[in-house]
Amino acid sequence: MTSSSAFPTPSASLALSPLVPYGWDDAWADEFAPYDSEGLVAGRVIRVDRGQCDVATADGVIRADTAFVTPHDPLRVVCTGDWVAVEPAGNPRYVRAYLPRRTAFVRSTSSKRSEGQILAANVDHAVVAVSLAVELDLGRVERFLALAWESGAQPVVVLTKADLVPEAATLAHLVQDVETSAPGVPVLAVSSSTGAGLDVLEAVLAGGTAVLLGQSGAGKSTLANALLGEDVMDVRATRDMDGKGRHTTTTRNLLVLPGGGVLIDTPGLRGVGLWDAGSGVGQVFAEIEEFATDCRFQDCAHVAEPGCAVLAAVESGELPERRLESYRKLLRENQRIVAKTDARVRAEIRRDWKRKGAEGRAAMEVKRGRW
């Protein structure tokens, strides 16, 4: 995972390259070397739509076709944030390959085929925007964070519209609530209208690539405009009743920040399905997995087993019951997704069901015998 203190930096030979503001460094140059010898052009994808993409190159932004690198696997299509090798000329010009991704933000689609959808590549920070104009949905925050951790990026939660919470004590309480649900994750309260907190966020994002995530109406486009220092993204009013609005961003756009770094803005996400995010769920609920190491049984499900340290933590008040319920929910969802694509996991689940069924029947027989 890349942290804000360990971004690769370009050498003196690359320092003047027009691609440096987009994140170009020596490691990318080394990866691109074989394509350079073929006469191909390096660039970063700043937008993708309908089989074509806009690519920032040393000679400016060009339009390229992705037909040569559009496989059947939806996780291997060209996406915003990719570094690519493009033909030097032609009409149309084609993307010939993309460089190995350092990180990738993936969610499951809403289709019944249970496919993964890649939202952004080569991201250092996943910024989860949460509006303070409506009641906090901590379960949704945890869901976003699971995907963010799984991507390999460092999550950051940004509580937008902080100016709507004028009482400092109330705002501090809301930040603390989110921090409890986001162990190891910076939580920043920001107001795009007053500028409060923006300097801290700019410092966090400088030098790397950040993807901006959240529901429609979370204030992502307004936040992007504030970070960019100009009205680049379209902004529309949200509904007072639920804080939601129409999707103002329809594609994923990569934008260079004036203070350093780049930002990928995304459309508001109605569905945030997990996609093989087991380790991400574990990081979001790190304290639960820590408690679980003291459970009597190694395969404890933390439901009703004797000697369950997780349930003991709930009873003692160390662990909020809401956190455990959210943990169980995300684990079940992730298991279903994995099972649909992994025959071995499906077989393990069936065996587990049979084992639990047999144990239940045996317990019932014992109970009946006592009657």
Side-chain angles (χ1 to χ4, degrees):
M1 189 193 318
T2 306
S3 67
S4 58
S5 61
F7 294 129
T9 55
S11 63
S13 62
L14 292 178
L16 298 179
S17 169
L19 289 178
V20 168
Y22 289 93
W24 188 250
D25 57 40
D26 288 314
W28 287 124
D30 290 342
E31 291 280 4
F32 187 75
Y35 302 105
D36 188 33
S37 64
E38 295 176 18
L40 297 176
V41 175
R44 192 166 196 190
V45 177
I46 60 176
R47 175 188 169 109
V48 178
D49 61 277
R50 299 180 182 179
Q52 294 191 315
C53 61
D54 293 334
V55 182
T57 71
D59 295 321
V61 177
I62 64 170
R63 189 75 167 166
D65 196 296
T66 64
F68 278 104
V69 282
T70 305
H72 295 297
D73 184 351
L75 298 181
R76 297 176 62 192
V77 299
V78 171
C79 75
T80 304
D82 271 327
W83 285 98
V84 295
V86 187
E87 292 177 342
N91 188 20
R93 294 171 74 167
Y94 288 96
V95 173
R96 286 294 178 176
Y98 64 80
L99 303 186
R101 293 163 177 160
R102 293 177 181 172
T103 62
F105 191 93
V106 180
R107 68 163 178 174
S108 67
T109 65
S110 57
S111 71
K112 294 182 179 179
R113 291 179 294 179
S114 300
E115 293 179 339
Q117 178 189 23
I118 184 164
L119 298 180
N122 302 312
V123 171
D124 302 295
H125 283 104
V127 180
V128 180
V130 181
S131 174
L132 290 177
V134 294
E135 185 177 354
L136 286 176
D137 184 344
L138 297 177
R140 182 170 289 272
V141 173
E142 290 160 347
R143 178 180 292 272
F144 270 112
L145 291 176
L147 291 173
W149 280 124
E150 192 69 32
S151 75
Q154 165 68 50
V156 179
V157 177
V158 174
L159 303 180
T160 65
K161 309 181 185 181
D163 54 290
L164 299 180
V165 187
E167 298 83 6
T170 302
L171 182 59
H173 179 72
L174 292 170
V175 170
Q176 186 177 29
D177 278 351
V178 178
E179 286 177 337
T180 301
S181 300
V185 177
V187 179
L188 308 176
V190 170
S191 170
S192 299
S193 60
T194 68
L198 283 176
D199 56 339
V200 178
L201 180 59
E202 288 170 350
V204 170
L205 304 185
T209 297
V211 61
L212 191 51
L213 306 159
Q215 285 184 288
S216 180
K220 298 191 311 303
S221 294
T222 303
L223 180 60
N225 286 338
L227 291 169
L228 292 162
E230 56 182 317
D231 291 340
V232 175
M233 307 306 297
D234 183 27
V235 178
R236 296 174 188 166
T238 57
R239 299 194 299 252
D240 291 335
M241 69 181 84
D242 56 11
K244 295 181 181 178
R246 294 174 61 190
H247 293 302
T248 55
T249 305
T250 56
T251 59
R252 287 170 281 282
N253 303 280
L254 186 147
L255 307 157
V256 176
L257 295 172
V262 294
L263 180 70
I264 300 175
D265 193 17
T266 64
L269 300 175
R270 290 192 180 92
V272 214
L274 300 185
W275 179 259
D276 197 4
S279 63
V281 172
Q283 285 182 273
V284 175
F285 299 93
E287 81 279 29
I288 295 180
E289 303 222 329
E290 181 65 26
F291 284 128
T293 60
D294 293 327
C295 288
R296 181 184 301 177
F297 302 110
Q298 190 173 7
D299 61 347
C300 184
H302 321 307
V303 177
E305 295 86 346
C308 175
V310 173
L311 293 179
V314 172
E315 291 176 6
S316 69
E318 292 181 85
L319 176 66
E321 187 172 1
R322 188 207 65 78
R323 286 277 287 169
L324 179 56
E325 290 174 354
S326 183
Y327 176 66
R328 289 168 176 162
K329 179 180 180 181
L330 293 183
L331 280 183
R332 287 195 302 269
E333 178 182 330
N334 191 67
Q335 189 179 47
R336 285 196 300 270
I337 289 294
V338 173
K340 287 181 179 179
T341 58
D342 191 321
R344 179 184 58 80
V345 173
R346 287 198 300 272
E348 289 177 355
I349 291 174
R350 282 196 295 269
R351 285 196 296 270
D352 189 50
W353 284 346
K354 290 180 180 178
R355 178 181 62 80
K356 290 181 178 179
E359 291 174 351
R361 287 191 296 272
M364 185 60 69
E365 290 298 325
V366 171
K367 191 173 183 180
R368 286 172 178 167
R370 290 176 181 172
W371 290 348

